[in-house]
Amino acid sequence: MDSLDLQVLRQALQWRAEDRGVWLVTVLETWGSAPRPPGALLAMRDDGLVVGSVSGGCVEDDLIARVRHGERVDRPTLVTYGITKDEAARFGLPCGGTLRLVQEPLVDVGWIEDVLVRTQRHELVARRLDLATGQVTIEPASRAERFEFDGRSLRALFGPRWRLLLIGAGQLSRVLAPMALALDFEVICCDPREEYHLTWDVPGTRFSKEMPDDLIVQLQLDPHSAVVALTHDPKLDDLALLEALKSPAFYVGALGSRGNTAKRKARLALFDLSAEEIDRLHGPVGLDIGARTPAEIAVSIVAELVAVRHGVPLRQKKTASAPARACIDAR
């Protein structure tokens, strides 16, 4: 799922409210270097207007031409592009790629309304489409699930599959949160300090006044979760890190210089964390792009989040100082 898919559903709902004919097109399978992944969604109006994408260009043009020439499917129908290398080149599918789609008429919009309401509540749901009957059901989903197609039905996810917990509601968090939202993270900001939480007003995010370590335990972080500590206050950051580093979160980072990162790791070593768990800490947080302003630092952090999420080696990473073993600053 990505945020574009929810935009597609909102637009499709609006078109149906205007009594226009609408078809949904979903990527089922890809072979080779197809531009869009399985589950990618496009909505097409009866006059050829489209929102969303299934290929990034020529396939959309062909679908539009079919509708404008009167080809209006009345049940879920499979469409395949790129069987041959010549056809793949014609439709902009590199390296002989192949794209398999399902095109379906949008008749009942109740399921779209349900998906939009539930995702607004930060729920992760799945839409199951029976290709034989066109019946749609909405089911709860878990973060570990992915798009599925078994030849008879498809199951597509909608909602926040990835989650980012920001510790601290300062200026950097205010800049970082919208960037993470654009990358399809559910964003939660945690700061128990009254002078900060009273002014948090970033749309689309959740806010918690609980102590960060307590919230981390409650959230039950999973491999689709990330934590970034940004308060500069060890009483908040370190407590959060103690819990986060023991969790299966895919990313745990903390703001600070190389010297402060070394001191932080030394403090963490005094508690029940193993050396391997402490080594999971990304500090200094973010990629080394020479960032100075809050916006630049936020860019470096989200870039590192994306790299770690996709398993890309961190080639542009500033190395932390060696852990301090004496004169530990325990503040």
Side-chain angles (χ1 to χ4, degrees):
M1 167 275 160
D2 62 34
S3 57
L4 176 61
D5 295 330
L6 292 178
Q7 295 173 24
V8 169
L9 294 183
R10 292 188 188 98
Q11 185 61 71
L13 188 63
Q14 178 62 39
W15 285 340
R16 289 296 293 128
E18 297 167 358
D19 201 28
R20 303 301 297 259
V22 179
W23 290 264
L24 296 180
V25 183
T26 306
V27 177
L28 293 180
E29 297 172 306
T30 64
W31 295 269
S33 301
R36 295 283 284 150
L41 190 63
L42 173 145
M44 182 165 49
R45 204 168 70 177
D46 51 19
D47 59 355
L49 193 63
V50 300
V51 61
S53 173
V54 292
S55 79
C58 294
V59 167
E60 284 84 351
D61 291 343
D62 186 69
L63 291 168
I64 291 168
R66 293 186 184 203
V67 167
R68 287 178 173 170
H69 286 87
E71 186 176 316
R72 313 290 178 86
V73 302
D74 58 4
R75 59 183 177 80
T77 303
L78 296 179
V79 185
T80 302
Y81 290 93
I83 293 295
T84 66
K85 288 188 177 181
D86 288 342
E87 188 179 19
R90 174 190 167 200
F91 291 111
L93 301 174
C95 304
T98 302
L99 190 63
R100 195 177 190 190
L101 313 172
V102 62
Q103 183 177 354
E104 58 179 302
L106 181 58
V107 180
D108 177 18
V109 298
W111 68 266
I112 293 183
E113 295 169 338
D114 189 21
V115 166
L116 294 178
V117 168
R118 293 172 69 172
T119 54
Q120 185 65 30
R121 297 198 299 254
H122 306 284
E123 295 181 29
L124 179 62
V125 298
R127 172 178 92 111
R128 185 179 296 278
L129 169 66
D130 187 312
L131 270 62
T133 65
Q135 182 179 1
V136 174
T137 55
I138 304 301
E139 310 166 347
S142 68
R143 294 178 186 272
E145 296 179 86
R146 296 182 178 274
F147 178 86
E148 298 175 0
F149 174 61
D150 62 7
R152 298 180 301 274
S153 67
L154 67 85
R155 191 171 187 270
L157 302 181
F158 296 92
R161 185 164 178 251
W162 299 92
R163 176 171 53 179
L164 172 62
L165 174 61
L166 300 175
I167 309 301
Q171 186 180 19
L172 177 54
S173 293
R174 290 175 177 277
V175 179
L176 177 57
M179 294 183 185
L181 289 171
L183 292 168
D184 298 308
F185 282 89
E186 174 190 3
V187 178
I188 307 167
C189 183
C190 178
D191 199 324
R193 301 171 297 181
E194 185 172 357
E195 61 272 23
Y196 283 90
H197 72 69
L198 290 177
T199 57
W200 181 264
D201 58 356
V202 181
T205 65
R206 295 167 55 190
F207 193 89
S208 172
K209 297 184 292 185
E210 297 197 48
M211 289 298 294
D213 53 327
D214 292 336
L215 180 61
I216 287 174
V217 172
Q218 293 175 27
L219 290 175
Q220 297 181 325
L221 301 181
D222 59 21
H224 290 87
S225 301
V227 177
V228 180
L230 302 171
T231 72
H232 281 300
D233 184 346
K235 295 189 297 296
L236 299 177
D237 286 351
D238 288 7
L239 288 174
L241 296 173
L242 282 170
E243 295 298 335
L245 290 169
K246 291 185 289 186
S247 79
F250 80 92
Y251 181 95
V252 181
L255 186 67
S257 66
R258 284 176 287 181
N260 285 335
T261 296
K263 293 178 181 179
R264 176 180 287 116
K265 288 186 174 183
R267 292 195 301 269
L268 293 174
L270 299 175
F271 296 90
D272 60 338
L273 289 177
S274 67
E276 291 76 15
E277 289 169 333
I278 294 173
D279 285 343
R280 293 185 59 222
L281 178 65
H282 290 270
V285 70
L287 298 182
D288 184 10
I289 60 173
R292 295 291 182 270
T293 67
E296 291 173 346
I297 296 170
V299 168
S300 76
I301 294 172
V302 296
E304 186 169 51
L305 280 171
V306 171
V308 175
R309 182 165 75 174
H310 293 304
V312 175
L314 302 179
R315 301 184 181 91
Q316 200 163 343
K317 183 66 178 173
K318 185 179 293 184
T319 305
S321 301
R325 297 301 178 186
C327 301
I328 295 172
D329 181 5
R331 291 180 297 169

